[in-house]
Amino acid sequence: MSNISKPLIKWYLINKRELPWRKTTDPYRIWLSEIMLQQTQVAQGLPYYLKFLEVFPSVNDLANANEEQVLKLWQGLGYYSRARNLHSTAKYVAHELNGVFPNNYSELKKLKGVGDYTASAIASICYQEPKAVLDGNVFRVLSRLYGIDVPINSTEGQKLFSKLAQELLDKNQPDTNNQAIMEFGARHCTPKKPMCDSCIFNTRCLALKESKVAQLPVKLKKTKIKKRYFNYIVPISNNETSVLKKRPAKGIWASLYEFPLIEASGKITYDELLAEVVKEELFATAYDLSLYNESPIIHKLSHQHIHAQFWIATTNEKLNDAIPLSEIENYPVPVLIANFIKEFSL
């Protein structure tokens, strides 16, 4: 099999971005960056990474934080289970491992929220263990370069690409090799409009030779998107208070806060909503209800689309479990709620 690691590493050393986690082998910082950048673009994740390090400079600092503080700092990154796993693992490393991360792939993989990819990245970057990483960028580069049309999210595909990546890895510099192929996929062999004309592999890329670049990599069809209809009741009293409810510990936005919610099977009328509010006994006070946004806000998650409408409930009476409007922004909330709070100027 032809060697691709040398030209990849050469390209990387010339073209790599200067990123803070590339200037360290501290496993805490590498772990933090890898968890944050899962399903997140570097441009979006970088400010969060820097803020987390500012607030939690060590794994012990993160371990000693409360969950709401962690979720609030994570707000906007999505996939909140990553934040909860991050916090759980920090507590485990700090309290059970005396603040020292495991120093090999096998032990790293036992940590909560750390899968094959993250364990491989930390092991290779921090400890020079020759474990090849396999993320979306690596799948794309290898599938195109070798013309592989086996679905990357199938069991067969996972095994095939894992074996291939390991065979191609430069065992003497696995850290640089892993970062090189990921950077190449992120910046050159991109999902759309890859720069094939100037590609270092354009004379040997089978996808380019067979005009299949746009068709690779192959993925099995995703789960059908589910539509959900959320009606948020936003209580506002004349003494400038409101109400937030904590979501369940499972499901979307687990343990985040939101306004009282009425979920319906479709778009709901004023009278239908009023009946639900009475039925759910959301208020023990007299109130005036008005619709804030006539057109639903469509918030897209990986397997479901939320169609959200906000209803303002004003009252002259005291609210139960009231929160001062001045403190609303201190609570960790989904982006959908955060955007409303900002727009409505609560």
Side-chain angles (χ1 to χ4, degrees):
M1 185 174 291
S2 60
N3 187 304
I4 67 165
S5 61
K6 286 183 179 179
L8 260 179
I9 291 171
K10 183 179 179 181
W11 175 92
Y12 173 71
L13 294 176
I14 295 170
N15 295 283
K16 68 176 180 177
R17 290 167 289 184
E18 293 298 324
L19 298 169
W21 48 83
R22 288 182 176 158
K23 300 174 183 178
T24 181
T25 55
D26 178 356
Y28 170 65
R29 294 179 176 229
I30 299 300
W31 165 71
L32 185 62
S33 72
E34 293 298 341
I35 299 297
M36 282 192 162
L37 294 177
Q38 289 171 18
Q39 299 160 308
T40 303
Q41 296 292 323
V42 168
Q44 183 191 5
L46 180 56
Y48 286 87
Y49 174 82
L50 295 174
K51 185 64 177 177
F52 256 75
L53 283 182
E54 181 185 325
V55 179
F56 310 123
S58 73
V59 70
N60 291 316
D61 295 314
L62 179 54
N64 293 330
N66 64 58
E67 185 179 84
E68 287 189 9
Q69 186 184 11
V70 175
L71 290 173
K72 183 62 183 176
L73 276 180
W74 193 274
Q75 185 174 299
L77 268 180
Y79 300 94
Y80 290 91
S81 60
R82 290 184 296 167
R84 285 186 292 274
N85 287 339
L86 187 85
H87 192 212
S88 177
T89 292
K91 288 189 282 188
Y92 176 75
V93 171
H95 303 144
E96 303 298 325
L97 303 180
N98 298 315
V100 180
F101 275 82
N103 64 0
N104 61 79
Y105 168 85
S106 297
E107 292 302 312
L108 284 162
K109 201 175 175 186
K110 294 176 183 177
L111 299 177
K112 193 171 184 179
V114 173
D116 179 79
Y117 162 75
T118 305
S120 298
I122 299 171
S124 64
I125 295 169
C126 300
Y127 309 116
Q128 294 294 306
E129 187 174 350
K131 293 294 293 185
V133 295
L134 203 55
D135 73 346
N137 293 310
V138 179
F139 276 124
R140 187 164 56 256
V141 172
L142 296 183
S143 66
R144 287 173 174 172
L145 190 52
Y146 294 98
I148 302 170
D149 58 6
V150 178
I152 62 174
N153 55 343
S154 66
T155 302
E156 181 187 358
Q158 292 282 335
K159 289 180 180 177
L160 189 155
F161 282 99
S162 181
K163 183 173 183 290
L164 177 59
Q166 192 63 33
E167 288 173 354
L168 295 169
L169 183 69
D170 184 334
K171 309 299 190 294
N172 295 316
Q173 43 186 338
D175 55 338
T176 307
N177 195 164
N178 276 336
Q179 293 185 82
I181 193 168
M182 289 191 288
E183 184 81 338
F184 188 75
R187 302 187 63 204
H188 199 96
C189 191
T190 51
K192 296 179 180 178
K193 298 182 180 179
M195 295 175 276
C196 297
D197 290 345
S198 59
C199 181
I200 56 176
F201 298 119
N202 61 15
T203 58
R204 59 172 115 169
C205 176
L206 291 182
L208 182 59
K209 183 179 179 181
E210 298 170 5
S211 300
K212 291 182 178 178
V213 173
Q215 284 77 53
L216 295 175
V218 174
K219 287 185 79 173
L220 297 172
K221 287 186 177 180
K222 291 182 179 180
T223 308
K224 186 179 178 182
I225 299 295
K226 179 182 179 182
K227 288 184 179 181
R228 299 179 71 180
Y229 297 85
F230 283 13
N231 294 275
Y232 283 112
I233 315 300
V234 184
I236 301 178
S237 69
N238 64 351
N239 65 343
E240 298 192 334
T241 61
S242 188
V243 175
L244 289 176
K245 302 283 189 182
K246 193 171 186 177
R247 285 188 63 85
K250 291 187 178 181
I252 64 166
W253 305 327
S255 301
L256 297 184
Y257 287 82
E258 63 186 2
F259 296 108
L261 171 65
I262 298 290
E263 183 170 358
S265 57
K267 193 173 178 181
I268 202 167
T269 66
Y270 178 88
D271 290 337
E272 289 170 335
L273 181 74
L274 201 57
E276 287 296 321
V277 171
V278 172
K279 179 182 173 184
E280 297 288 334
E281 298 181 339
L282 291 184
F283 296 99
T285 62
Y287 56 88
D288 290 319
L289 193 65
S290 62
L291 178 60
Y292 176 72
N293 58 310
E294 183 65 39
S295 298
I297 297 165
I298 301 175
H299 187 80
K300 296 181 179 180
L301 303 174
S302 55
H303 298 311
Q304 48 190 298
H305 290 174
I306 309 298
H307 295 244
Q309 289 187 291
F310 291 85
W311 302 76
I312 313 302
T314 55
T315 180
N316 293 323
E317 300 181 38
K318 187 178 179 181
L319 295 169
N320 292 330
D321 303 318
I323 295 170
L325 293 180
S326 59
E327 296 179 13
I328 287 282
E329 291 190 356
N330 296 336
Y331 288 78
V333 298
V335 168
L336 174 65
I337 302 295
N339 289 342
F340 168 79
I341 290 171
K342 185 177 180 181
E343 183 180 314
F344 192 67
S345 300
L346 279 175

